[in-house]
């Protein structure tokens, strides 16, 4: 009888370990989000600031839910630990089911509506007239950029027929992604391996791809856009801080994907004009 009583006395250890672990885990997680030892680089666009504010709003709301849920779980584990009695069970509570389902819907839809304006500025509002257009072409495994030059017009690329005819004549390097130099608009186009933009001026990218899907991603712009073969996708922004930033391909595009990087450079007006002049001279 005495032995059986000891068997049924219940256990505090397992419940204590689990509860303490959950509380410690919650405190460490919250600390990492507040102290921010690892965080995004600062945004350099107004849209980026809007996105960051939205991110923080979402993080605060979901953070509060997270903390309450983890502490609640720790409390339940401790409160209903094995106390040597027969277990009771509940078959659920419809009111609570309805309440937390509705609360989740309100939260998600609300945050979505709140974020809509930041999304719309980039995706539904066209760029202003007179912005600086730059063509971006993704290719396994590099980025190519093109500026329209003094005439402000992008020249034609070779047609497939032109490239094929050139190949027949023995020039095996001919492809339809080379400028057609018989087009006067193409003569002053400037091709570059890195992209530079003037600070505080609206830039419109025309994003294309030669082969597979790539993705134009600069963390500081808070923008990421796929480059899709056969399409020209427009994206616009105004960078507000000079500096050199990393441009990466954010779409797994083949074995060399990891080295598909370039530099995104934001320059003052004078530096940009000089840079473009240097690039033109080296064509
Ligand atoms: Cu790529």
């Amino acid at each position: 009888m005495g032995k059986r009583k000891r068997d049924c006395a219940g256990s505090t250890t397992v419940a204590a370990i689990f509860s303490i672990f959950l509380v410690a885990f919650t405190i460490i997680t919250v600390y990492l989000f507040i102290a921010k030892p690892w965080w995004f680089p600062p945004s350099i666009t107004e849209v980026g600031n809007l996105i960051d504010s939205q991110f923080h709003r979402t993080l605060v709301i979901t953070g509060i839910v997270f903390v309450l849920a983890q502490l609640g779980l720790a409390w339940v584990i401790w409160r209903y630990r094995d106390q040597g009695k027969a277990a009771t069970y509940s078959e659920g509570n419809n009111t609570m089911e309805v309440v937390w389902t509705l609360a989740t819907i309100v939260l998600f839809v609300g945050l979505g509506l709140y974020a809509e304006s930041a999304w719309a500025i980039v995706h539904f509002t066209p760029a202003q007239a007179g912005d600086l257009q730059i063509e971006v072409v993704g290719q396994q495994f590099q980025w190519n950029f093109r500026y329209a030059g003094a005439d402000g017009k992008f020249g034609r690329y070779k047609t497939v027929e032109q490239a094929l005819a050139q190949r027949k004549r023995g020039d095996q390097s001919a492809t339809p992604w080379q400028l057609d130099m018989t087009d006067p608009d193409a003569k002053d186009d400037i091709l570059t391996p890195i992209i530079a933009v003037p600070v505080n001026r609206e830039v419109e990218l025309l994003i294309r791809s030669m082969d597979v899907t790539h993705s134009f991603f600069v963390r500081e712009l808070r923008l990421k856009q796929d480059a899709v073969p056969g399409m020209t996708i427009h994206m616009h922004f105004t960078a507000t801080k000079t500096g050199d930033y990393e441009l990466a391909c954010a779409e797994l595009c083949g074995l060399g994907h990891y080295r598909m990087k370039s530099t995104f450079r934001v320059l003052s007006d004078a530096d940009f004009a000089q840079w473009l002049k240097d690039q033109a001279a080296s064509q």
Side-chain angles (χ1 to χ4, degrees):
M1 191 66 191
K3 190 168 186 286
R4 171 169 294 187
K5 202 173 179 193
R6 244 200 329 275
D7 277 352
C8 296
S11 161
T12 313
T13 325
V14 174
I17 290 173
F18 266 130
S19 305
I20 292 168
F21 167 77
L22 274 176
V23 173
F25 166 79
T26 308
I27 291 171
I28 293 170
T29 308
V30 170
Y31 167 79
L32 288 177
F33 276 99
I34 290 174
K36 298 192 171 109
W38 304 283
W39 205 249
F40 318 137
S43 145
I44 56 164
T45 58
E46 251 167 69
V47 170
N49 297 339
L50 288 178
I51 290 172
D52 284 2
S53 319
Q54 177 69 16
F55 188 89
H56 275 102
R57 261 194 299 277
T58 309
L59 200 58
V60 166
I61 294 172
T62 52
I64 291 170
V65 174
F66 169 78
V67 168
L68 292 179
Q70 298 306 308
L71 296 184
L73 188 57
W75 178 78
V76 166
I77 289 173
W78 175 252
R79 171 73 182 75
Y80 296 102
R81 67 189 181 277
D82 178 7
Q83 288 171 333
K85 294 182 213 145
T88 56
Y89 62 91
S90 130
E91 284 183 31
N93 183 325
N94 284 340
T95 316
M96 282 182 79
E97 293 278 357
V98 170
V99 167
W100 66 52
T101 307
L102 279 181
T104 310
I105 292 172
V106 168
L107 215 66
F108 274 79
V109 173
L111 282 171
L113 291 176
Y114 217 103
E116 186 267 340
S117 62
W119 173 262
I121 289 172
V122 178
H123 297 276
F124 299 149
T125 319
Q128 287 160 13
D131 60 357
L132 172 68
Q133 290 193 324
I134 304 170
E135 185 188 60
V136 178
V137 181
Q139 171 189 10
Q140 287 173 318
F141 297 97
Q142 67 181 58
W143 290 105
N144 307 284
F145 305 98
R146 180 156 70 123
Y147 296 79
D151 62 0
K153 283 187 212 148
F154 289 110
R156 272 196 311 270
Y157 283 109
K158 287 173 189 163
T159 60
V160 175
E161 289 72 26
Q162 271 175 307
L164 281 176
Q166 232 175 310
R167 285 197 175 204
K168 263 188 196 147
R169 288 197 300 271
D171 178 5
Q172 293 307 319
S173 65
T175 82
W177 281 96
Q178 291 161 340
L179 291 175
D180 174 6
M181 283 308 180
T182 59
D183 176 11
D185 292 342
K187 290 212 167 71
D188 65 349
D189 284 8
I190 303 162
L191 301 168
T192 62
I194 71 163
I195 177 171
V197 304
V199 71
N200 294 327
R201 175 165 170 206
E202 190 172 45
V203 172
E204 183 179 6
L205 301 182
L206 315 174
I207 303 175
R208 308 175 68 186
S209 170
M210 281 191 201
D211 35 46
V212 299
T213 305
H214 300 278
S215 180
F216 179 96
F217 179 40
V218 177
R219 298 171 302 169
E220 288 81 356
L221 293 177
R222 301 288 191 269
L223 292 173
K224 189 187 276 178
Q225 176 59 58
D226 276 4
V228 181
M231 290 178 79
T232 301
I233 299 175
H234 293 243
M235 184 170 87
H236 59 99
F237 58 84
T238 305
T240 53
K241 195 166 176 294
T242 56
D244 276 5
Y245 309 96
E246 185 186 76
L247 160 59
C249 175
E251 186 71 57
L252 184 56
C253 57
L255 285 177
H257 164 67
Y258 69 93
R259 63 182 148 86
M260 190 166 166
K261 283 202 267 187
S262 182
T263 302
F264 177 83
R265 187 166 284 175
V266 182
L267 298 170
S268 68
D269 279 340
D271 288 349
F272 175 72
Q274 186 58 46
W275 179 84
L276 204 55
K277 212 189 263 177
D278 294 345
Q279 297 296 315
S282 66
Q283 294 293 299

Short mmCIF file of all heavy atoms in Angstrom, two decimals, residues 175-198:
data_model
loop_
_atom_site.label_atom_id
_atom_site.label_comp_id
_atom_site.label_asym_id
_atom_site.label_seq_id
_atom_site.Cartn_x
_atom_site.Cartn_y
_atom_site.Cartn_z
N THR A 175 24.55 37.40 -80.55
CA THR A 175 23.31 36.97 -79.87
C THR A 175 22.28 38.09 -79.99
O THR A 175 22.63 39.24 -80.26
CB THR A 175 23.52 36.71 -78.35
OG1 THR A 175 23.45 37.97 -77.67
CG2 THR A 175 24.84 36.02 -78.06
N PRO A 176 21.00 37.76 -79.79
CA PRO A 176 19.97 38.80 -79.86
C PRO A 176 20.02 39.76 -78.68
O PRO A 176 19.22 40.69 -78.63
CB PRO A 176 18.66 38.00 -79.84
CG PRO A 176 19.04 36.57 -80.06
CD PRO A 176 20.44 36.42 -79.59
N TRP A 177 20.92 39.55 -77.74
CA TRP A 177 21.01 40.48 -76.61
C TRP A 177 22.16 41.48 -76.81
O TRP A 177 22.66 42.06 -75.87
CB TRP A 177 21.18 39.73 -75.29
CG TRP A 177 19.88 39.18 -74.82
CD1 TRP A 177 19.41 37.91 -75.03
CD2 TRP A 177 18.85 39.86 -74.10
NE1 TRP A 177 18.16 37.77 -74.47
CE2 TRP A 177 17.80 38.94 -73.89
CE3 TRP A 177 18.71 41.16 -73.59
CZ2 TRP A 177 16.62 39.29 -73.21
CZ3 TRP A 177 17.55 41.49 -72.91
CH2 TRP A 177 16.53 40.56 -72.73
N GLN A 178 22.57 41.67 -78.07
CA GLN A 178 23.56 42.70 -78.36
C GLN A 178 22.86 43.87 -79.04
O GLN A 178 21.88 43.67 -79.76
CB GLN A 178 24.65 42.13 -79.29
CG GLN A 178 25.51 41.10 -78.58
CD GLN A 178 26.27 40.22 -79.55
OE1 GLN A 178 25.90 40.10 -80.72
NE2 GLN A 178 27.32 39.58 -79.06
N LEU A 179 23.40 45.08 -78.81
CA LEU A 179 22.75 46.25 -79.40
C LEU A 179 22.89 46.22 -80.92
O LEU A 179 23.90 45.79 -81.46
CB LEU A 179 23.41 47.52 -78.85
CG LEU A 179 23.14 47.80 -77.38
CD1 LEU A 179 23.94 49.02 -76.93
CD2 LEU A 179 21.65 48.01 -77.14
N ASP A 180 21.82 46.67 -81.57
CA ASP A 180 21.83 46.79 -83.02
C ASP A 180 22.41 48.16 -83.36
O ASP A 180 21.72 49.17 -83.28
CB ASP A 180 20.40 46.65 -83.54
CG ASP A 180 20.31 46.92 -85.03
OD1 ASP A 180 21.37 47.08 -85.68
OD2 ASP A 180 19.18 46.97 -85.54
N MET A 181 23.68 48.19 -83.72
CA MET A 181 24.36 49.48 -83.91
C MET A 181 23.90 50.23 -85.15
O MET A 181 24.30 51.37 -85.37
CB MET A 181 25.87 49.28 -83.91
CG MET A 181 26.42 49.08 -82.50
SD MET A 181 25.86 50.40 -81.38
CE MET A 181 26.63 49.91 -79.86
N THR A 182 23.02 49.61 -85.97
CA THR A 182 22.48 50.37 -87.10
C THR A 182 21.34 51.28 -86.62
O THR A 182 20.87 52.14 -87.35
CB THR A 182 21.92 49.40 -88.18
OG1 THR A 182 20.89 48.60 -87.58
CG2 THR A 182 23.01 48.50 -88.73
N ASP A 183 20.89 51.08 -85.38
CA ASP A 183 19.86 51.95 -84.81
C ASP A 183 20.55 53.15 -84.16
O ASP A 183 21.34 52.99 -83.24
CB ASP A 183 19.06 51.15 -83.77
CG ASP A 183 18.02 52.02 -83.06
OD1 ASP A 183 17.78 53.17 -83.52
OD2 ASP A 183 17.45 51.55 -82.06
N PRO A 184 20.26 54.37 -84.63
CA PRO A 184 20.94 55.55 -84.06
C PRO A 184 20.73 55.68 -82.55
O PRO A 184 21.62 56.15 -81.84
CB PRO A 184 20.31 56.73 -84.80
CG PRO A 184 19.29 56.19 -85.73
CD PRO A 184 19.34 54.70 -85.73
N ASP A 185 19.56 55.24 -82.04
CA ASP A 185 19.30 55.33 -80.60
C ASP A 185 20.25 54.47 -79.78
O ASP A 185 20.47 54.71 -78.60
CB ASP A 185 17.86 54.90 -80.28
CG ASP A 185 16.84 55.87 -80.84
OD1 ASP A 185 17.24 57.01 -81.15
OD2 ASP A 185 15.66 55.49 -80.97
N ALA A 186 20.79 53.42 -80.42
CA ALA A 186 21.65 52.48 -79.69
C ALA A 186 23.07 53.01 -79.53
O ALA A 186 23.80 52.59 -78.63
CB ALA A 186 21.69 51.13 -80.40
N LYS A 187 23.44 53.98 -80.39
CA LYS A 187 24.85 54.40 -80.45
C LYS A 187 25.37 54.96 -79.14
O LYS A 187 26.52 54.75 -78.78
CB LYS A 187 25.03 55.41 -81.58
CG LYS A 187 24.88 54.77 -82.94
CD LYS A 187 25.76 55.44 -83.99
CE LYS A 187 25.85 54.61 -85.26
NZ LYS A 187 24.60 54.60 -86.06
N ASP A 188 24.50 55.71 -78.40
CA ASP A 188 25.00 56.31 -77.15
C ASP A 188 24.55 55.55 -75.91
O ASP A 188 24.70 56.04 -74.79
CB ASP A 188 24.57 57.78 -77.06
CG ASP A 188 23.06 57.91 -76.96
OD1 ASP A 188 22.36 56.89 -77.18
OD2 ASP A 188 22.57 59.01 -76.65
N ASP A 189 23.98 54.35 -76.10
CA ASP A 189 23.57 53.57 -74.92
C ASP A 189 24.82 53.14 -74.15
O ASP A 189 25.85 52.84 -74.74
CB ASP A 189 22.77 52.33 -75.33
CG ASP A 189 21.34 52.71 -75.74
OD1 ASP A 189 21.07 53.92 -75.83
OD2 ASP A 189 20.53 51.80 -75.96
N ILE A 190 24.70 53.13 -72.82
CA ILE A 190 25.86 52.83 -71.98
C ILE A 190 25.60 51.53 -71.21
O ILE A 190 24.62 51.43 -70.46
CB ILE A 190 26.13 53.97 -70.99
CG1 ILE A 190 26.32 55.29 -71.76
CG2 ILE A 190 27.33 53.68 -70.11
CD1 ILE A 190 26.15 56.52 -70.89
N LEU A 191 26.45 50.54 -71.42
CA LEU A 191 26.30 49.25 -70.73
C LEU A 191 27.27 49.20 -69.56
O LEU A 191 28.44 49.55 -69.71
CB LEU A 191 26.59 48.09 -71.70
CG LEU A 191 25.70 48.05 -72.93
CD1 LEU A 191 26.25 47.06 -73.96
CD2 LEU A 191 24.28 47.67 -72.55
N THR A 192 26.78 48.77 -68.39
CA THR A 192 27.65 48.74 -67.21
C THR A 192 27.43 47.46 -66.40
O THR A 192 26.35 46.88 -66.43
CB THR A 192 27.34 49.95 -66.28
OG1 THR A 192 25.99 49.84 -65.83
CG2 THR A 192 27.53 51.27 -66.99
N PRO A 193 28.48 47.03 -65.69
CA PRO A 193 28.34 45.82 -64.86
C PRO A 193 27.82 46.11 -63.45
O PRO A 193 27.43 45.20 -62.73
CB PRO A 193 29.77 45.28 -64.79
CG PRO A 193 30.62 46.50 -64.92
CD PRO A 193 29.86 47.51 -65.74
N ILE A 194 27.86 47.39 -63.03
CA ILE A 194 27.26 47.74 -61.73
C ILE A 194 26.23 48.83 -62.00
O ILE A 194 26.22 49.44 -63.06
CB ILE A 194 28.30 48.24 -60.70
CG1 ILE A 194 28.82 49.62 -61.08
CG2 ILE A 194 29.46 47.25 -60.54
CD1 ILE A 194 29.50 50.32 -59.92
N ILE A 195 25.35 49.05 -61.04
CA ILE A 195 24.32 50.06 -61.25
C ILE A 195 24.56 51.24 -60.31
O ILE A 195 24.78 51.06 -59.12
CB ILE A 195 22.90 49.47 -61.07
CG1 ILE A 195 21.83 50.55 -61.22
CG2 ILE A 195 22.75 48.73 -59.76
CD1 ILE A 195 20.40 50.01 -61.28
N ALA A 196 24.58 52.44 -60.88
CA ALA A 196 24.70 53.65 -60.06
C ALA A 196 23.46 54.49 -60.31
O ALA A 196 22.93 54.53 -61.42
CB ALA A 196 25.95 54.43 -60.42
N VAL A 197 22.97 55.15 -59.26
CA VAL A 197 21.81 56.03 -59.40
C VAL A 197 22.10 57.33 -58.67
O VAL A 197 22.86 57.35 -57.71
CB VAL A 197 20.52 55.39 -58.83
CG1 VAL A 197 20.22 54.05 -59.48
CG2 VAL A 197 20.60 55.23 -57.32
N PRO A 198 21.50 58.45 -59.14
CA PRO A 198 21.69 59.71 -58.41
C PRO A 198 20.80 59.72 -57.15
O PRO A 198 19.71 59.16 -57.16
CB PRO A 198 21.23 60.77 -59.41
CG PRO A 198 20.34 60.05 -60.36
CD PRO A 198 20.72 58.62 -60.36
#
